[in-house]
């Protein structure tokens, strides 16, 4: 690919991005699109835009950019939680490290690459992009010390920035968790693999076990049941009632005129919200609909948060496969369909999902091979002779080599996130946030394999299978192929980066759904539970993938760095806007996406250093080769230090921090238990909830119990 093809791709993507952002700035002002572009605000405060006609609604503006830029990290934390802060910190880290890399590589490495070989240069627009890569430097050149120096500066700068980011995020996470108001999940432990007993039910076994070992701190428990058919029908009826209540009076009158199957008009009557009136109309108690079967899973409630943490971390049986405990997810975070999976099945499910993911990667080789064929027109013309005449046209040649490959690959990749989310669900995660983290790792691994390794190896190792005889040859082939494929990675950043951010802003699927709902189905009201949560599994993996390409190509092909910087700056504004206005936060993982980002960065650095080591070996630069080996070991030692120093705080809670920040919240408020809608409540806890809902009882409870505990320390 030459520079003109890259400029063609850049021009197309700049035009598409600018057009979509302009369309977004107009669409967001239309009152009918409130649920698409302001779902966060609509779900939180229910405000509406002015419906009056105004020409200003049809003019493009940049007010959203100013708002996103001025929003601070503390405001992002209050709006979207720790996970939202993590994605912004990933972007900020990427901007910092690639700014350093761009300054070093553009000023030092790029001139060495361009003049590294004694050739006659053509005009810049006609130059091949390989001229700007390390492949253009002749063997044995004394200028490879520049590449080695740049690699050291980028690597150590990344490690220093990672250290301070890890340290800052750890403190922010602890302050957020300990400073948040009391939540039922803080005092609740999820117990799985409860052993079966012929003498006792699961509920009795749980009560007896925790009364024996936690008699002073155990409060109560709730066994998970299999919901009956009647229970499911009740949930459907509640959803239908909620839908009918959201109708306006005019819409209800229209619906009442519609004839039903028997020829009579429909009539709607909104029942009272009082639970007593509902019980009077039915002939049995709702609590009798509890379940048909107990499962070996229970939520156990403790009087103090400290006791819950201790119970979640302790090994409770000689057999680690029994009495497995962990802190319960937030009520909205629980993935109810996976709670009842037998614990002994999890290892089998993980192995099966691993094999399924590998098979999916193998199947995906076909579109990647087709994409690589588009980047090599001489091979494509030889296979399909009737295309030779078409490829003689300069514009068609630039379009096919500079734009189509990345577009086709992106279209195929739209099937990856739903597939990986399905794999993560089958794997057995008990929380939505845990499922998203698992899907994020799978999507990231899949993308790195198919976008980087398969694209690089398809033109080198896969085409030269007879040359493979050792790991050294594979490394040499990989080192030789990365600079050649750098042009494809640049167009991938343009298409999958810039344009995808503009598509994220416009929300085409949500816009089409909203238009169909309001124009075809005539549903004017926005449902309160119809808003989206942030797709962390796709967006975090996408950011880390571009960071991976940035590290790999920084020294090999520095021209990719300005394109990446533009992408991350635009992502900073886009994701801030989406967090503020679009996506709701029903649950969060507490910032557990950061260890994924840290590990991905370390892998990117080490792989960059290994590929550079191979390049220096091919180019016969002994000095650069020797100075790169200690860099690899230094990066691995730094990662081990961070793993020992910071990572445990993302998996466990410090007792010292807990007692320091929460002298009052250590003690549980019985009125908090439980808010797990899917469970059938214990009669004892239900009476507590009814009792604590009365203002007088609540005041007496505070004066008699909580204040003496707080005053005593």
């Amino acid at each position: 690919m030459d520079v003109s093809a890259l400029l063609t791709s850049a021009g197309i993507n700049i035009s598409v991005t600018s057009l979509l952002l302009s369309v977004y700035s107009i669409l967001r002002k239309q009152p009918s699109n409130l649920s698409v572009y302001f779902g966060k605000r609509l779900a939180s405060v229910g405000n509406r835009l002015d419906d009056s006609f105004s020409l200003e609604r049809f003019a493009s503006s940049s007010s959203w950019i100013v708002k996103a830029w001025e929003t601070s990290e503390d405001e992002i934390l209050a709006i979207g939680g720790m996970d939202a802060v993590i994605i912004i910190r990933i972007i900020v880290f990427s901007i910092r490290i690639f700014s350093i890399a761009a300054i070093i590589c553009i000023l030092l490495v790029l001139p060495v690459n361009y003049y590294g070989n004694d050739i006659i240069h053509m005009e810049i627009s006609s130059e091949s992009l390989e001229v700007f890569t390390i492949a253009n430097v002749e063997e044995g050149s004394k200028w490879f010390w520049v590449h080695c120096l740049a690699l050291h500066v980028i690597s150590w700068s990344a490690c220093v920035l990672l250290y301070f980011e890890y340290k800052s995020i750890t403190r922010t996470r602890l302050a957020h968790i300990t400073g948040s108001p009391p939540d039922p999940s803080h005092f609740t432990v999820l117990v799985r693999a409860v052993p079966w007993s012929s003498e006792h039910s699961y509920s009795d076994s749980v009560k007896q076990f925790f009364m024996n070992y936690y008699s002073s701190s155990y409060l109560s428990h709730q066994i998970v049941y299999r919901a009956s058919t009647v229970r499911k029908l009740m949930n459907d009826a509640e959803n239908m009632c909620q839908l009918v209540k959201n109708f306006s009076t005019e819409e209800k009158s229209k619906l009442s005129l519609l004839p039903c199957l028997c020829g009579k008009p429909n009539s709607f009557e909104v029942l009272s919200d009082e639970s007593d009136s509902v019980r009077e109309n039915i002939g049995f108690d709702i609590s009798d609909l509890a379940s048909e079967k107990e499962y070996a899973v229970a939520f156990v409630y403790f009087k103090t948060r400290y006791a819950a943490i201790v119970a979640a971390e302790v090994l409770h049986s000689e057999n680690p496969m029994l009495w497995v405990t962990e802190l319960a997810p937030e009520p909205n975070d629980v993935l109810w369909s996976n709670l009842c999976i037998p614990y002994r099945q999890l290892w089998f499910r993980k192995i099966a999902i691993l094999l399924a993911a590998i098979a999916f990667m193998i199947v995906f080789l076909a579109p990647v091979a087709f994409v690589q064929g588009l980047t090599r027109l001489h091979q494509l013309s030889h296979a399909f002779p009737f295309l030779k005449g078409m490829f003689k046209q300069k514009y068609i040649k630039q379009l096919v080599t500079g734009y189509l490959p990345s577009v086709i690959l992106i279209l195929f990749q739209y099937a990856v996130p739903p597939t990986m989310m399905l794999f993560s669900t089958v794997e057995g995660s008990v929380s939505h946030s845990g499922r998203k983290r698992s899907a994020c790792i799978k999507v990231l691994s899949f993308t790195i394999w198919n976008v980087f390794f398969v694209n690089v190896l398809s033109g080198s190792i896969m085409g030269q299978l007879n040359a493979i005889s050792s790991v050294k040859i594979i490394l040499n082939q990989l080192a030789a192929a990365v600079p050649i494929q750098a042009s494809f990675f640049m167009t991938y950043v343009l298409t999958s980066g810039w344009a995808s951010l503009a598509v994220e802003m416009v929300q085409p699927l949500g816009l089409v759904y909203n238009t169909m709902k309001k124009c075809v189905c005539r549903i004017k009201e926005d449902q309160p539970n119809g808003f989206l949560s942030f797709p962390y599994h796709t967006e975090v993996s996408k950011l880390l993938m571009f960071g991976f390409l940035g590290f790999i190509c920084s020294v090999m092909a520095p021209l990719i760095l300005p394109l990446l910087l533009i992408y991350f700056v635009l992502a900073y504004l886009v994701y801030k806007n989406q967090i503020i206005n679009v996506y709701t936060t029903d649950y969060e993982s507490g910032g557990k996406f950061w260890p994924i980002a840290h590990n991905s960065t370390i892998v990117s650095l080490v792989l960059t250093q290994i590929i550079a080591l191979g390049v220096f070996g091919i180019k016969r630069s002994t000095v650069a080769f020797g100075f790169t080996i200690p860099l690899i070991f230094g990066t691995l030692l730094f990662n081990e230090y961070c793993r020992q120093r910071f990572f445990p705080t993302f998996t466990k809670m410090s007792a010292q921090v807990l007692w320091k920040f929460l002298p009052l919240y250590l003690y549980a408020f019985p009125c908090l238990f439980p808010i797990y809608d899917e469970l059938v409540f214990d009669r004892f806890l239900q009476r507590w909830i009814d009792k604590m809902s009365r203002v007088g009882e609540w005041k007496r409870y505070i004066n008699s119990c909580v204040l003496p505990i707080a005053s005593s320390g």
Side-chain angles (χ1 to χ4, degrees):
M1 182 189 297
D2 54 19
V3 176
S4 60
L6 179 63
L7 294 177
T8 300
S9 178
I12 294 175
N13 285 282
I14 291 174
S15 302
V16 171
T17 303
S18 302
L19 177 62
L20 290 178
L21 292 180
S22 300
V23 170
Y24 162 75
S25 65
I26 297 174
L27 292 176
R28 69 192 297 267
K29 299 178 183 179
Q30 311 308 313
S32 60
N33 297 329
L34 181 65
S35 61
V36 180
Y37 301 117
F38 294 95
K40 177 74 175 184
R41 296 187 181 182
L42 187 63
S44 58
V45 297
N47 62 332
R48 300 194 62 85
L49 297 178
D50 187 10
D51 291 346
S52 59
F53 178 81
S54 174
L55 292 177
E56 185 180 356
R57 283 167 41 190
F58 301 94
S60 177
S61 64
S62 59
S63 59
W64 67 272
I65 298 178
V66 178
K67 175 64 178 176
W69 182 265
E70 294 177 349
T71 303
S72 64
E73 183 178 299
D74 293 336
E75 293 173 335
I76 293 294
L77 180 62
I79 294 173
M82 270 301 300
D83 290 339
V85 173
I86 292 301
I87 197 170
I88 299 301
R89 295 294 282 271
I90 292 174
I91 298 173
V92 171
F93 166 79
S94 301
I95 293 175
R96 289 172 178 172
I97 185 59
F98 291 125
S99 296
I100 297 174
I103 294 173
I104 296 296
C105 294
I106 296 297
L107 295 180
L108 296 179
V109 177
L110 189 61
V112 173
N113 290 345
Y114 188 73
Y115 295 106
N117 209 337
D118 189 14
I119 60 175
I120 299 176
H121 292 282
M122 299 180 292
E123 295 182 0
I124 296 295
S125 60
S126 301
E127 288 277 18
S128 173
L129 289 178
E130 294 183 15
V131 176
F132 300 92
T133 67
I134 198 173
N136 191 53
V137 183
E138 63 182 358
E139 294 184 5
S141 175
K142 62 180 180 180
W143 291 102
F144 277 111
W145 67 267
V146 175
H147 299 82
C148 184
L149 175 64
L151 184 63
H152 273 265
V153 172
I154 294 172
S155 299
W156 292 120
S157 299
C159 290
V160 171
L161 291 175
L162 275 177
Y163 173 79
F164 285 109
E165 287 291 340
Y166 220 147
K167 186 176 182 179
S168 175
I169 289 174
T170 300
R171 291 178 177 177
T172 304
R173 166 183 157 81
L174 292 177
H176 174 68
I177 293 177
T178 56
S180 59
D183 185 85
S185 60
H186 296 165
F187 307 91
T188 308
V189 172
L190 176 63
V191 182
R192 309 176 73 183
V194 178
W196 180 82
S197 174
S198 59
E199 300 177 357
H200 305 285
S201 63
Y202 284 127
S203 180
D204 294 337
S205 298
V206 171
K207 182 177 181 180
Q208 182 179 359
F209 181 86
F210 284 95
M211 282 296 292
N212 289 337
Y213 296 103
Y214 299 92
S215 57
S216 61
S217 58
Y218 169 76
L219 178 63
S220 182
H221 73 278
Q222 178 59 60
I223 288 291
V224 177
Y225 297 96
R226 180 177 63 188
S228 63
T229 305
V230 179
R231 182 74 181 180
K232 296 177 182 178
L233 292 175
M234 289 182 60
N235 293 335
D236 294 339
E238 291 177 0
N239 294 333
M240 290 299 296
C241 290
Q242 187 65 34
L243 181 62
V244 172
K245 289 179 182 179
N246 291 333
F247 284 162
S248 63
T249 306
E250 181 180 356
E251 290 171 336
K252 292 176 184 177
S253 62
K254 291 180 180 179
L255 289 173
S256 63
L257 298 177
L258 295 176
C260 62
L261 294 177
C262 59
K264 297 181 180 180
N266 294 319
S267 60
F268 289 86
E269 179 182 358
V270 180
L271 299 177
S272 174
D273 292 334
E274 295 295 333
S275 58
D276 295 337
S277 62
V278 176
R279 292 192 181 96
E280 292 174 358
N281 293 331
I282 60 178
F284 48 86
D285 191 359
I286 295 179
S287 61
D288 294 334
L289 299 176
S291 320
E292 298 173 355
K293 180 183 177 182
E294 287 184 339
Y295 284 107
V297 182
F299 289 96
V300 180
Y301 311 125
F302 291 86
K303 297 178 182 178
T304 67
R305 189 173 182 181
Y306 180 81
I309 292 175
V310 171
E313 298 296 335
V314 171
L315 187 65
H316 291 91
S317 173
E318 295 179 355
N319 183 0
M321 300 293 289
L322 297 177
W323 296 107
V324 181
T325 57
E326 61 180 295
L327 282 177
E330 298 176 9
N332 293 330
D333 193 18
V334 178
L335 188 58
W336 300 100
S337 59
N338 283 354
L339 276 182
C340 303
I341 297 176
Y343 187 79
R344 296 178 182 273
Q345 287 186 9
L346 294 182
W347 70 273
F348 174 76
R349 286 172 174 261
K350 291 180 180 180
I351 294 176
I353 291 303
L354 177 61
L355 297 177
I358 293 175
F360 185 64
M361 289 183 180
I362 295 175
V363 172
F364 209 82
L365 291 177
V368 176
F370 175 73
V371 166
Q372 278 302 308
L374 294 178
T375 61
R376 299 178 177 86
L377 292 185
H378 61 282
Q379 297 179 1
L380 196 62
S381 301
H382 181 73
F384 304 97
F386 60 90
L387 296 177
K388 291 183 179 180
M390 183 183 301
F391 291 153
K392 291 181 179 180
Q393 301 181 19
K394 184 177 180 180
Y395 179 77
I396 297 296
K397 180 180 179 180
Q398 295 174 355
L399 182 65
V400 171
T401 59
Y403 188 69
L404 280 184
S406 54
V407 171
I408 294 174
L409 185 60
I410 291 169
L411 292 177
F412 278 105
Q413 284 184 336
Y414 276 117
V416 175
T419 304
M420 296 306 173
M421 182 63 77
L422 176 62
F423 287 166
S424 299
T425 303
V426 177
E427 202 171 34
S429 176
V430 296
S431 64
H432 293 282
S433 58
R435 179 178 62 169
K436 281 191 175 182
R437 291 197 306 273
S438 178
C440 176
I441 297 173
K442 291 181 176 62
V443 173
L444 178 61
S445 303
F446 181 91
T447 308
I448 290 177
W449 168 254
N450 280 280
V451 173
F452 177 73
F453 285 103
V454 175
N455 276 285
V456 169
L457 301 180
S458 63
S460 57
I461 296 179
M462 289 188 176
Q464 304 175 22
L465 292 177
N466 56 347
I468 297 180
S469 59
S470 66
V471 177
K472 180 180 178 180
I473 294 181
I474 296 177
L475 178 60
N476 291 340
Q477 293 288 349
L478 185 64
V482 168
I484 298 175
Q485 292 297 325
S487 58
F488 170 77
F489 299 143
M490 294 180 193
T491 59
Y492 183 81
V493 171
L494 292 171
T495 307
S496 182
W498 296 7
S500 66
L501 288 176
V503 173
E504 167 66 25
M505 291 290 287
V506 176
Q507 293 284 312
L509 295 180
L511 188 63
V512 171
Y513 172 76
N514 182 68
T515 304
M516 294 291 292
K517 181 181 70 173
K518 294 188 175 181
C519 297
V520 178
C521 301
R522 300 294 182 181
I523 301 176
K524 301 299 182 181
E525 296 294 330
D526 297 315
Q527 298 181 8
N529 57 348
F531 306 112
L532 301 175
S533 61
F534 200 98
Y536 290 102
H537 61 295
T538 60
E539 304 310 313
V540 171
S541 60
K542 187 180 297 183
L543 291 172
L544 297 180
M545 176 62 199
F546 286 121
F548 176 86
L549 293 179
F551 283 113
I552 294 294
C553 299
S554 57
V555 177
M556 307 296 165
L559 283 181
I560 198 174
L561 295 175
L563 306 180
L564 280 173
L565 277 176
I566 295 174
Y567 165 77
F568 283 115
V569 171
L570 186 59
Y572 179 79
L573 300 174
V574 169
Y575 288 129
K576 265 193 171 183
N577 177 79
Q578 301 301 84
I579 293 170
I580 296 170
N581 297 321
V582 179
Y583 295 114
T584 59
T585 305
D586 298 328
Y587 54 84
E588 63 170 342
S589 67
K592 291 184 179 180
F593 281 96
W594 177 253
I596 299 176
H598 175 86
N599 294 335
S600 174
T601 305
I602 293 297
V603 170
S604 303
L605 283 174
V606 172
L607 187 60
T608 300
Q609 296 158 6
I610 291 176
I611 293 176
L613 192 69
V615 172
F616 296 150
I618 293 175
K619 297 292 186 177
R620 299 178 182 177
S621 177
T622 307
V623 175
F625 185 91
F627 276 96
T628 304
I629 295 177
L631 187 61
I632 299 176
F633 289 101
T635 305
L636 294 176
L637 289 175
F638 167 77
N639 179 59
E640 181 63 21
Y641 172 78
C642 289
R643 191 180 69 85
Q644 298 289 341
R645 170 63 178 84
F646 299 114
F647 181 70
T649 59
F650 285 81
T651 58
K652 301 178 182 179
M653 177 60 68
S654 169
Q656 182 181 15
V657 172
L658 192 64
W659 281 94
K660 179 180 178 181
F661 285 95
L662 287 180
L664 176 61
Y665 289 160
L666 282 172
Y667 291 88
F669 294 84
C671 63
L672 291 175
F673 301 105
I675 309 180
Y676 297 92
D677 298 334
E678 307 292 332
L679 299 179
V680 180
F681 294 147
D682 214 87
R683 289 180 181 273
F684 171 77
L685 294 177
Q686 188 63 53
R687 287 198 300 270
W688 261 110
I689 294 174
D690 295 337
K691 186 178 181 180
M692 290 300 108
S693 62
R694 304 169 190 169
V695 178
E697 294 290 336
W698 171 256
K699 290 182 178 179
R700 282 197 293 272
Y701 177 76
I702 291 292
N703 294 330
S704 61
C705 298
V706 178
L707 294 182
I709 292 173
S711 61
S712 63

